[in-house]
Amino acid sequence: MKNIAIQIEELKRDFKMGEEVVHALRGISFTIKEGEFVTIMGTSGSGKSTLLNTLGCLDQPSSGIYKIDNVPVKNLDKNQLAKIRNEKIGFIFQAYNLLPRTTALENVELPLLYNTKVSTEERRERAIEALTKVGLAERLNHTPSQLSGGQQQRVAIARSLVNNPVVLLADEATGNLDTRTSYEIMALFQELHDQGKTIVFVTHESDIASFSNRTIVLKDGNIIKDDINTKIRNAKEELAAIPKAD
Amino acid sequence: MRIFNLLKISFKAIILNKVRTLLTMLGVIIGVASVIAMLAIGEGSKQSIKSQISNMGSNMITVMPYAERQAGVRLDRSEMQSLTLDDYKTLVSDAKLLTDVSPKVDGSGQVIYGAENWPSSIYGVTPNYLDIKVWDVTSGSMFTDDEVSSAAKVAVIGQTIVENIFTNGEDPIGKMIRFGNIPFKVIGVLSEKGENTFGQDQDDVVLAPYTTVQKRILAIDYLQSVVASAISEEQSENAVAEVKVIMNKAHNIKEGDTSDYEVRSMEELISTFSSTSEMLTVLLVAIASISLLIGGIGIMNIMYVSVKERTREIGLRLAVGAKGADILLQFLIEAILISITGGVIGVVLGLSTTFIIENVLHWPTSVTSSSIIISFGVCAITGIFFGFYPARKAAALDPITAMRYE
Ligand SMILES: Nc1ncnc2c1ncn2[C@@H]1O[C@H](COP(=O)(O)OP(=O)(O)OP(=O)(O)O)[C@@H](O)[C@H]1O
Ligand SMILES: [Mg+2]
């Protein structure tokens, strides 16, 4: 029996917009075990990002239970949430969100800068290790403007890996990339999954979802489907099938 | 460890925004430099006034009749005569805090030698007047006490008089000059003193025995003033008090009566002048502080823009685990680094400006360590103060909204 990485129960998130209340999440429950690769799908506005932000402790639910690594995330103050983000979560954004004019290495080191337990040498070693994992060992000193979109997203993935998080959360991580590069990124995620990483991946392309082993579909803040994938595609093989553009 | 990391982050941000940082610093630099330079000018002029007054004899005490001072009021003859030779003698014998005492009677008129003449003043004094004024004689000698007793017609003259009546460069010693109608034999020449603080030519003077001036020139038997020197500068206030006690007794003046004389010390003059230049200094500092304040507002402005500009960056830092305090400290350190670096450059610039003022414009300046400490302190405090508000704003941001900020 694998450990539970993420557990939510009756999670609700309401946004008050003056008089109106937007129910972004209307009481959803699920459990994600360690080592699962879950995609969250749904139409625009269905609440995917809201859910992921909550899972990433960037946002607090209006009600319900959320436990990460068996730690209940409720009534935690800002600093405690920051600590959880720093130690247990790796977040990957659609827009990469790298610091401009800052090298890949320094970008990846960033989360560890806020962890006082990590020394300067260890920080550097771990950042290099993470960048090597995503295949950018040769680009340590390149700044974002000197890297392609795919490479920038790899740097962002390396940054999310560097703190050895309980779970990797990716919000439309392939949203800005072409098909080939998206597949390359998915191949990387599958590789990380094979190494035992827990991944929650938000996308609205079913094509991308088919690389994961479980898909949760949201609609208007409710879960309408939660299926185990039987036909998991292999991104590396798919990639080989796509003719290289010349 | 944490501070070290934050220092690194702040330092990086400064390096990445060199031009902007430099422009921000400019305000601080100018502020600090002008505080130092202006204080140096203020302090310098204060000291130069002080030393000029001291050169006039800083322990000098003057006793004079009171009525003479009341301009516009018809002077009472008896009051004008309130200072007598007896007063002088009593002061000489009774005052313990006075070293030299000299009576003084002044007259004005033409100094004549051959075909040349020159309008000037004659001071009737005793020989120790030179000690009181800290003057000396370059050639010849001062008249003696015997010459005072005998009311000898001898004179010691100042450089301006030498220049104006001995026009063909003769040696004045031993020559006969006239002051008005009275002939005097020149027995000494005073060394050059230049102008005093009030713009008076101190070399335009004839010194003669007071007895001679009283009898031959003024035809009076009272004194116009008595000048004396206190045993030391520190004792001059006490000496003034002592003189008052002696004079009150001699003139039979009781508590509360209006006295018929007044006593002035150089010390008072110095403090009057010091307070004037103190005001000047305060004014200069006020102006400089305004520029320092503007420098501070510059920091706030830049930090504010910087926070806005880097909202997405702040959001990301928060998202990867930075605490509010980390962000606050990062921006605060940035503000402090800017203001301290600006402060150091400002101190250097202020010192160089002062050096230039001193050596090129030849204004008296004096840099005090307190001006450096104060300006530097104020600049560090403005840095913290004006950096704090934008920094706190940054720290309070919500990571998601910050990251979405366009
Ligand atoms: N900060 C907010 N304030 C108010 N309403 C919000 C806020 N964030 C999200 N919402 C609302 O919550 C709902 C869900 O938004 P969310 O961003 O989670 O959708 P999504 O599934 O990620 O959509 P997309 O695929 O377009 O990214 C939307 O109706 C949205 O308008
Ligand atoms: Mg979204």
Side-chain angles (χ1 to χ4, degrees):
Chain A
M1 181 75 191
K2 289 218 167 172
N3 286 333
I4 291 170
I6 279 173
Q7 183 186 2
I8 58 172
E9 269 172 49
E10 278 302 306
L11 202 73
K12 287 185 185 166
R13 180 66 170 105
D14 301 329
F15 292 106
K16 288 199 179 66
M17 304 284 289
E19 295 288 287
E20 251 175 279
V21 178
V22 179
H23 302 284
L25 299 174
R26 295 171 189 264
I28 58 176
S29 312
F30 60 71
T31 304
I32 295 172
K33 292 198 196 78
E34 232 173 52
E36 273 196 280
F37 184 176
V38 181
T39 42
I40 295 174
M41 287 194 52
T43 51
S44 190
S46 55
K48 306 183 295 290
S49 294
T50 307
L51 174 61
L52 207 70
N53 289 339
T54 310
L55 297 183
C57 294
L58 290 166
D59 196 10
Q60 282 276 59
S62 306
S63 70
I65 292 171
Y66 169 37
K67 284 185 194 165
I68 177 163
D69 206 17
N70 287 316
V71 180
V73 182
K74 197 165 193 189
N75 306 326
L76 290 186
D77 68 24
K78 274 186 149 189
N79 286 346
Q80 289 166 316
L81 287 175
K83 197 168 152 64
I84 289 185
R85 289 199 295 269
N86 190 242
E87 292 173 359
K88 296 191 188 297
I89 289 162
F91 220 115
I92 300 149
F93 308 93
Q94 179 172 356
Y96 327 133
N97 290 36
L98 299 178
L99 295 182
R101 291 179 292 167
T102 305
T103 63
L105 187 63
E106 286 171 310
N107 263 296
V108 174
E109 281 184 337
L110 189 67
L112 300 182
L113 268 180
Y114 296 104
N115 185 341
T116 46
K117 283 175 235 144
V118 181
S119 71
T120 311
E121 298 78 48
E122 189 189 345
R123 187 167 69 221
R124 198 183 150 81
E125 271 165 30
R126 280 168 68 171
I128 292 173
E129 193 190 328
L131 277 164
T132 310
K133 229 179 218 171
V134 300
L136 288 178
E138 315 284 296
R139 306 286 182 139
L140 301 183
N141 292 314
H142 286 55
T143 60
S145 62
Q146 296 165 338
L147 296 170
S148 72
Q151 286 167 333
Q152 287 185 55
Q153 194 59 297
R154 281 168 190 272
V155 175
I157 293 169
R159 182 180 62 200
S160 73
L161 289 170
V162 79
N163 58 345
N164 243 325
V166 174
V167 59
L168 286 184
L169 303 172
D171 193 351
E172 314 249 11
T174 56
N176 285 6
L177 303 173
D178 62 28
T179 314
R180 187 180 174 81
T181 320
S182 300
Y183 280 27
E184 280 171 7
I185 295 294
M186 290 321 290
L188 177 57
F189 274 108
Q190 284 192 326
E191 206 177 303
L192 293 169
H193 175 227
D194 289 342
Q195 289 164 15
K197 290 277 170 218
T198 313
I199 302 165
V200 180
F201 194 105
V202 164
T203 181
H204 53 251
E205 295 170 65
S206 50
D207 180 34
I208 294 292
S210 60
F211 293 116
S212 71
N213 64 344
R214 176 178 168 191
T215 304
I216 295 170
V217 182
L218 290 183
K219 193 183 178 199
D220 292 336
N222 287 309
I223 295 179
I224 54 164
K225 222 158 86 180
D226 186 350
D227 291 340
I228 300 292
N229 274 355
T230 44
K231 283 190 280 176
I232 304 169
R233 292 198 296 158
N234 185 309
K236 249 195 196 119
E237 285 167 13
E238 298 281 334
L239 203 55
I242 305 176
K244 268 198 180 164
D246 44 328
Chain B
M1 184 67 205
R2 173 173 171 212
I3 287 291
F4 181 71
N5 284 350
L6 291 174
L7 258 170
K8 234 161 132 180
I9 294 169
S10 307
F11 201 73
K12 189 99 212 279
I14 288 175
I15 297 292
L16 282 180
N17 297 293
K18 281 187 216 81
V19 176
R20 191 176 67 187
T21 308
L22 220 71
L23 288 175
T24 316
M25 271 185 202
L26 212 58
V28 178
I29 292 171
I30 292 171
V32 170
S34 55
V35 166
I36 289 176
M38 288 192 179
L39 271 172
I41 292 170
E43 188 62 30
S45 63
K46 192 160 89 187
Q47 277 182 13
S48 106
I49 288 171
K50 218 170 186 165
S51 78
Q52 281 186 49
I53 295 177
S54 293
N55 280 341
M56 291 163 61
S58 61
N59 346 345
M60 197 167 100
I61 288 170
T62 310
V63 185
M64 53 199 143
Y66 184 60
E68 207 181 355
R69 303 236 118 223
Q70 287 175 327
V73 176
R74 197 165 164 225
L75 300 174
D76 188 339
R77 193 166 271 278
S78 68
E79 275 189 4
M80 273 191 62
Q81 296 177 15
S82 60
L83 211 58
T84 65
L85 209 55
D86 285 338
D87 292 330
Y88 160 65
K89 285 177 182 154
T90 318
L91 284 174
V92 171
S93 61
D94 292 1
K96 294 191 173 53
L97 297 175
L98 300 180
T99 44
D100 294 296
V101 186
S102 167
K104 188 161 173 261
V105 283
D106 303 347
S108 56
Q110 294 290 324
V111 187
I112 303 154
Y113 177 71
E116 305 291 342
N117 69 82
W118 178 252
S120 188
S121 315
I122 190 163
Y123 294 170
V125 293
T126 51
N128 57 6
Y129 184 71
L130 289 190
D131 298 326
I132 296 168
K133 293 290 279 185
V134 205
W135 285 359
D136 56 46
V137 169
T138 48
S139 64
S141 59
M142 185 62 176
F143 48 81
T144 62
D145 286 321
D146 285 344
E147 282 164 324
V148 173
S149 309
S150 63
K153 285 183 259 182
V154 288
V156 173
I157 60 177
Q159 289 291 344
T160 305
I161 294 183
V162 173
E163 277 158 31
N164 284 287
I165 63 172
F166 293 97
T167 41
N168 43 13
E170 315 162 57
D171 181 7
I173 307 294
K175 300 285 180 330
M176 292 302 289
I177 58 165
R178 281 189 295 135
F179 193 91
N181 302 324
I182 317 300
F184 283 91
K185 183 180 172 190
V186 178
I187 58 164
V189 175
L190 293 167
S191 51
E192 192 165 345
K193 296 285 290 177
E195 286 182 359
N196 69 9
T197 330
F198 315 102
Q200 236 174 10
D201 182 0
Q202 299 185 87
D203 300 316
D204 190 4
V205 69
V206 177
L207 298 184
Y210 76 97
T211 45
T212 317
V213 176
Q214 266 186 329
K215 283 179 199 152
R216 311 280 170 182
I217 294 176
L218 301 171
I220 56 172
D221 57 5
Y222 56 87
L223 298 177
Q224 288 167 337
S225 61
V226 173
V227 291
S229 58
I231 51 172
S232 68
E233 207 177 319
E234 297 76 49
Q235 285 293 333
S236 75
E237 287 305 308
N238 293 337
V240 167
E242 187 188 34
V243 167
K244 282 181 179 164
V245 169
I246 294 168
M247 288 294 291
N248 282 350
K249 201 173 149 213
H251 286 209
N252 204 12
I253 294 165
K254 294 182 185 62
E255 275 294 316
D257 290 355
T258 42
S259 69
D260 55 357
Y261 70 92
E262 69 178 321
V263 188
R264 300 201 147 199
S265 72
M266 269 303 166
E267 207 51 22
E268 281 170 46
L269 245 164
I270 291 173
S271 69
T272 315
F273 269 85
S274 298
S275 71
T276 314
S277 63
E278 203 89 58
M279 260 168 58
L280 182 82
T281 310
V282 167
L283 198 78
L284 291 175
V285 170
I287 295 169
S289 307
I290 290 170
S291 54
L292 207 54
L293 184 77
I294 291 171
I297 293 173
I299 293 183
M300 175 145 98
N301 187 28
I302 283 298
M303 293 314 293
Y304 208 80
V305 170
S306 170
V307 165
K308 277 257 176 283
E309 214 178 76
R310 283 150 66 192
T311 304
R312 283 164 63 90
E313 173 195 324
I314 295 165
L316 174 75
R317 287 180 187 277
L318 290 168
V320 299
K323 298 186 173 72
D326 293 325
I327 302 295
L328 178 92
L329 277 173
Q330 176 192 334
F331 280 89
L332 209 51
I333 290 171
E334 225 171 279
I336 293 168
L337 280 180
I338 290 175
S339 56
I340 285 182
T341 315
V344 170
I345 300 175
V347 168
V348 172
L349 188 71
L351 292 179
S352 346
T353 310
T354 308
F355 185 81
I356 290 169
I357 290 171
E358 173 98 52
N359 290 287
V360 179
L361 297 179
H362 299 294
W363 286 10
T365 60
S366 167
V367 177
T368 55
S369 52
S370 66
S371 76
I372 295 176
I373 294 166
I374 289 170
S375 61
F376 197 79
V378 167
C379 118
I381 290 166
T382 43
I384 296 170
F385 184 78
F386 288 109
F388 187 75
Y389 179 67
R392 208 190 52 184
K393 223 175 134 71
L397 285 171
D398 164 61
I400 303 173
T401 22
M403 271 191 297
R404 286 210 186 119
Y405 185 86
E406 295 296 322

